[in-house]
Amino acid sequence: MPERSKSSSVSNLPLILDIDDFKGDFSFDALFGNLVNELLPSFQEEEADTAGGHGLGGTEALPNGHARASSDASKFAQGDSIPLFPEVDALLSLFKDSCKELIDLRKQVDGKLYNLKKEVSTQDAKHRKTLTELEKGVDGLFDSFARLDSRISSVGQTAAKIGDHLQSADAQRETASQTIELVKYLMEFNSSPGDLMELSPLFSDDSRVAEAASIAQKLRSFAEEDIARAVPSVVGSATASRGLEVAVANLQEYCNELENRLLSRFDAASQRRELSTMSECAKILSQFNRGSSAMQHYVATRPMFIDVEIMNSDTRLVLGDQGSQTSPSNVARGLSSLYKEITDTVRKEAATIMAVFPSPNDVMSILVQRVLEQRVTALLDKLLVKPSLVNPPPMEEGGLLLYLRMLAVAYEKTQELARELRAVGCGDLDVEGLTESLFSSHMDEYPEHEQASLGQLYQAKLDELRAENQNVSDSTGTIGRSKGASVASSHQQISVAVVTEFVRWNEEALTRCTLFSSQPATLAANVKAVFTCLLDQVSQYITDGLERARDSLTEAAAMRERFVLGTNLSRRVAAAAASAAEAAAAAGESSFRSFMVAVQRCGSSVAIVQQYFANSISRLLLPVDGAHAASCEEMATAMSSAEGAAYKGLQQCIETVMAEVERLLSAEQKATDYRSPDDGMAPDHRPTNACTRVVAYLSRVLEAAFTALEGLNKQAFLTELGNRLYKGLLNHWQKFTFNPSGGLRLKRDITEYGEFVRSFNAPSVDEKFELLGILANVFIVAPESLSSLFEGTPSIRKDAQRFIQLREDYKSAKLASRLSSLWSGSS
């Protein structure tokens, strides 16, 4: 901190500023305060004293805080010239001295900075030189380490080679030692043929059986390889090695004897359930053909393969007592029980096998294979006897369907057994493939049997329906047949329940297809074949039903032809003929209703098949390219025959209806209906009796058509019937002569007919009957007004020309000449 002399003298001593004052938290305000604090307090004390002596009356406070002297004080000030701020000179001197010292300090600092920079530069050069030398030293060190690593690696490789050589030498020494021992033993076996009495104690000591078996196998392998190498050699070499053939024979005999001895010990231990002894024998026997003889022997001696009573029990459990009728449900329960017993037995054997054999998976594979090929196959051979397709079993004995159901039950339960055995353990055995092979002979002709079964069921159902229909016919006899009301009743009607039964058969067959066919292509082919059977059955059934219904229409038409009324008949004959015609009409109406019922049931049957295809068949065919489209096309083709029969029958229905309409018109229409006498009475505005009868008949008979037909079929039928009715009425009215009152009656009939045909919802027919109403006006208007009738409707001029000729006054009013210009203009 700067320091000053504490003397009151104005003269100042030199300041002492230290460089350390500017380090750390330097503050200019603190430095300045320390410089002036010794001068400014004396000035402030003087000001305070002056204020204390004159402040009561001589000064006046200003609003800004400064003091203003009184007038007397001002005058005094003017008289004595005292400086207002006497310390200014001291401060100026202080500031000048401070500046000088600050400049000196700056020069000192600059000098120190220069020296420091020079020193730093020197140290930096030394440091860089040291770093360069260190880098060179590190590089040299890395090179030394690399050479050392290479040397260590070379030494390691050499050591490894030496180790390999030592290991190989030790192995060779061990092999040579063993070979010497083997040659010694081999010479013992090569002494004389069949002589096993002079062998080392090793080969007769029961406690060293495992070692003897191992050595015997090695000797046998060595001798056999030596003989095999000698075969292609020269004669001399072959003669030299011929001596080992004796050893091979003796070794073979010894191995056989040893193997039999071990198997006997294994059987004895097995009967006593001594698992440790069994395991020891199995381990030793594994050296003989990898233990296959032991494994085969163990599996073959299981009770379920040698006990006849167990096999007979299997047959009784599944097939029941001999001579009893088996059913698929009983067989399913029997197979479930038997297969559960087999699984439990195999599971118990698996526990023993795991504890005894060194290769339990191989033994399990042999065991499961034996179970399927012997025990299961023996049962399936008795259960599934493939029937002949040429002479299938009759339906009274279950037919082909019983065989297929048995096959499905056996296949499904055996597949479940295979999955259970797989869970228990069967080694590397393809148990699923082996199970499939058990049914291969049945799967080869399965599609043919399925189709034949569906055909057999279909034929049996038809025979049943024919028998029922025959019984109904026999019970009813010919009652009512003479009246013609029962022509259609003698024919069997289509039944939706029967078609539903066809579909149910097909669904069952489809379930079996899905069960037997694992590949999508095979499944699609089988499903397509089964569905084709359904299409053929439904198509044939409904087509035959429609044809039978058509036969009823044909018979009714033949009855009408036989009872057509002639001319010049006696009253009694005419009455009989009329009665017969009524009977024919009743037969026609009954046949019409029957055919409409057949058409309705036909449509319902087709809808059932289509729904079945969409819900069940499509999903199975879609994975195979083209199968779905082919089945759709086949379905359309199969139903085309039924559509053809339905179309022909609907045409016959129209003929039947129109024949009855024409009969009613001929019988009920009177000449006076349209040419009433001019007797001054009010005209009759009611429809004619013929019109009323025809409309009533049409309303009654077409009720069945409205119920049976739908959509486009209904529209086409009613449109065709409406057009035929229109033409029939035109031809009918050509037979009569009309006066004005008759024209009004005709117009009333046309209105009645038009209101009825509006229920057809056929615009073209409605338009024709509207034009008929306009056409009837030619009988009502005066002759001179006829030409104006056709100004707006030139299309009816041709029919109008024929109608005008039916006017009662056609000749008297000379209408032909009067309208000749109109007809020529229209032509």
Side-chain angles (χ1 to χ4, degrees), residues 40 63 369 427 453 528 668 738 752 778 822:
L40 291 182
Q369 183 175 359
S453 172
K528 186 174 182 295
E668 302 295 334
F738 300 83
E752 191 75 12
V778 301
L822 177 63

Side-chain angles (χ1 to χ4, degrees), residues 540-557:
Q540 182 178 350
Y541 177 71
I542 63 179
T543 301
D544 291 346
L546 291 171
E547 291 294 344
R548 289 192 297 271
R550 281 188 61 208
D551 291 341
S552 298
L553 292 170
T554 303
E555 291 180 21

Side-chain angles (χ1 to χ4, degrees), residues 197 248 356 517 533 563 594 619 622 660 709 763:
M197 301 300 295
V248 170
V356 170
S517 307
C533 288
F563 301 113
S594 296
R619 61 183 177 84
L622 284 174
E660 179 60 13
L709 300 178

Side-chain angles (χ1 to χ4, degrees), residues 302-315 317-318 334-335 337-346 349 367-383 414 417 421 438:
R302 296 305 90 201
M304 62 177 165
F305 300 131
I306 58 178
D307 192 339
V308 177
E309 182 56 34
I310 292 179
M311 301 178 187
N312 295 334
S313 176
D314 292 348
T315 304
L317 180 60
V318 176
L335 285 175
S337 300
L338 175 61
Y339 287 167
K340 183 178 185 301
E341 177 189 340
I342 291 175
T343 303
D344 292 341
T345 302
V346 172
E349 293 292 345
L367 176 64
V368 172
Q369 183 175 359
R370 187 71 175 266
V371 166
L372 293 175
E373 291 182 346
Q374 180 175 330
R375 192 171 180 185
V376 174
T377 300
L379 178 65
L380 293 179
D381 290 341
K382 298 177 182 179
L383 175 63
T414 307
L417 172 64
L421 294 177
L438 301 181

Side-chain angles (χ1 to χ4, degrees), residues 546-547 549-555 557 560 592 595 645-658 717:
L546 291 171
E547 291 294 344
R550 281 188 61 208
D551 291 341
S552 298
L553 292 170
T554 303
E555 291 180 21
R560 290 195 305 271
F592 179 91
F595 188 82
Y647 175 77
K648 293 177 182 177
L650 291 175
Q651 291 293 331
Q652 287 180 271
C653 286
I654 292 175
E655 296 294 339
T656 300
V657 171
M658 289 308 303
F717 175 78

Side-chain angles (χ1 to χ4, degrees), residues 562-604:
R562 289 197 298 270
F563 301 113
V564 172
L565 293 177
T567 58
N568 299 325
L569 297 176
S570 65
R571 181 175 297 179
R572 187 171 61 85
V573 174
S579 178
E582 288 286 346
E589 184 173 345
S590 177
S591 300
F592 179 91
R593 294 179 185 277
S594 296
F595 188 82
M596 286 301 171
V597 171
V599 170
Q600 183 181 18
R601 294 180 179 178
C602 176
S604 300

Side-chain angles (χ1 to χ4, degrees), residues 38 77 99 150 190 273 287 336 347 438 551 565 692 784:
E38 295 183 0
C99 285
S150 176
N190 200 37
R273 298 293 299 171
Q287 301 181 45
S336 296
R347 186 176 287 109
L438 301 181
D551 291 341
L565 293 177
T692 302
E784 57 274 9

